[in-house]
C-alpha cells in the first residue's frame, strides 16, 4: 500500500502518512461492517419464497414410493408378500415367501440419464445391456457373478430416469431381470 524501496530507509514523515492511511482504511472497513450488521429488522423470518403456512408434516415427500401398488410388486416378483422397509433416497420392499424372497428397490433420479448410469455401472464392473421397455431404450444391469439380482433403468415419463432392482435370496426364484423389467413397465404406465 505504501511505496518503499527495501534498500532505502523511509523518511519519518512517510511512515506516519502510511500508518495513518492504513489506520483510516481499517477504521472505515470496521465502521461499514458494523453498521451493516448492527440493524434490527422488524417482522417474522420466513424461508425464501415462503409464507407462514409451511407444511412441516412432509406428508407428500415420498409419494413416488406408491407409484406401483404393493400387490403389483408381489405379483411381478413372485413373492407372497412385500412390505416397505425404507423410504428415502430410494424406496425398498422386503419380499417374503417360498419363491421370490429377497428385496425390491425403486429409484427415480429426476436429473439422471442412461449414459450416466452406464458410465457408473461400468466403473462398478457391472454388465450393462441395452433392452427395450415400452419402446424406449433402457438398460439391464447385472452385478458380476450374481445370478440372483438384476436392475432395469429406463427414461422416466417426463424427466430423468426410473429403475428397479430385484435381489432374490439364492436358490429357486423367478428371473430377477423379468421382475425388474415388469416393475419398470408398471412405473412408466402409471407415470403417464
Amino acid at each position: 500500500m505504501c511505496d518503499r524501496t527495501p534498500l532505502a530507509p523511509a523518511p519519518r514523515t512517510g511512515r506516519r502518512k502510511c500508518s495513518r492511511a492504513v489506520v483510516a482504511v481499517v477504521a472505515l472497513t470496521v465502521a461499514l461492517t458494523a453498521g451493516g450488521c448492527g440493524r434490527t429488522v422488524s417482522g417474522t423470518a420466513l424461508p425464501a419464497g415462503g409464507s407462514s403456512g409451511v407444511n412441516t408434516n412432509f406428508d407428500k415427500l415420498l409419494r413416488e414410493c406408491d407409484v406401483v401398488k404393493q400387490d403389483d410388486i408381489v405379483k411381478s416378483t413372485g413373492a407372497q408378500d412385500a412390505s416397505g422397509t425404507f423410504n428415502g433416497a430410494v424406496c425398498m420392499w422386503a419380499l417374503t415367501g417360498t419363491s421370490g424372497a429377497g428385496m425390491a428397490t425403486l429409484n427415480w433420479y429426476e436429473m439422471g440419464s442412461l449414459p450416466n448410469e452406464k458410465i457408473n455401472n461400468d466403473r462398478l464392473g457391472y454388465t450393462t445391456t441395452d433392452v427395450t421397455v415400452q419402446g424406449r431404450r433402457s438398460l439391464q444391469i447385472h452385478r458380476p457373478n450374481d445370478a440372483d439380482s438384476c436392475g432395469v433403468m429406463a427414461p422416466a415419463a417426463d424427466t430423468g430416469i426410473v429403475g428397479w432392482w430385484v435381489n432374490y435370496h439364492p436358490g429357486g426364484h423367478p428371473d430377477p431381470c423379468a421382475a425388474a423389467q415388469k416393475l419398470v413397465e408398471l412405473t412408466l404406465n402409471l407415470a403417464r
Side-chain angles (χ1 to χ4, degrees):
M1 184 166 171
C2 301
D3 289 334
R4 272 192 0 201
T5 319
L7 300 175
R12 196 168 172 89
T13 57
R15 281 191 204 147
R16 282 190 199 143
K17 286 181 184 176
C18 181
S19 296
R20 286 183 190 150
V22 169
V23 169
V25 168
V26 169
L28 181 62
T29 303
V30 169
L32 290 173
T33 302
C37 295
R39 278 191 270 170
T40 301
V41 177
S42 62
T44 303
L46 296 173
S51 66
S52 59
V54 176
N55 177 3
T56 57
N57 295 327
F58 302 107
D59 56 345
K60 295 179 175 65
L61 186 62
L62 298 170
R63 287 189 301 179
E64 62 265 16
C65 294
D66 298 328
V67 71
V68 176
K69 293 181 208 165
Q70 194 164 320
D71 291 345
D72 289 331
I73 294 171
V74 167
K75 197 181 311 178
S76 298
T77 60
Q80 278 68 51
D81 190 32
S83 57
T85 60
F86 177 77
N87 290 320
V90 296
C91 308
M92 300 171 117
W93 291 265
L95 306 172
T96 57
T98 54
S99 68
M103 179 154 293
T105 306
L106 164 68
N107 57 65
W108 198 319
Y109 303 123
E110 293 175 4
M111 303 303 287
S113 69
L114 289 181
N116 191 44
E117 285 299 308
K118 173 123 177 63
I119 289 168
N120 287 326
N121 288 316
D122 289 347
R123 282 185 196 151
L124 293 169
Y126 293 6
T127 303
T128 307
T129 308
D130 285 348
V131 294
T132 302
V133 178
Q134 292 187 353
R136 300 167 187 239
R137 177 185 167 259
S138 303
L139 300 176
Q140 186 179 86
I141 306 144
H142 293 274
R143 291 187 189 120
N145 304 313
D146 183 0
D148 301 310
S149 67
C150 182
V152 175
M153 304 292 290
D158 48 6
T159 182
I161 54 172
V162 62
W164 280 87
W165 272 90
V166 175
N167 305 298
Y168 290 120
H169 293 229
H173 54 69
D175 177 8
C177 292
Q181 183 162 334
K182 180 62 178 173
L183 290 166
V184 169
E185 290 171 0
L186 290 170
T187 303
L188 293 175
N189 275 341
L190 296 171
R192 289 185 186 166

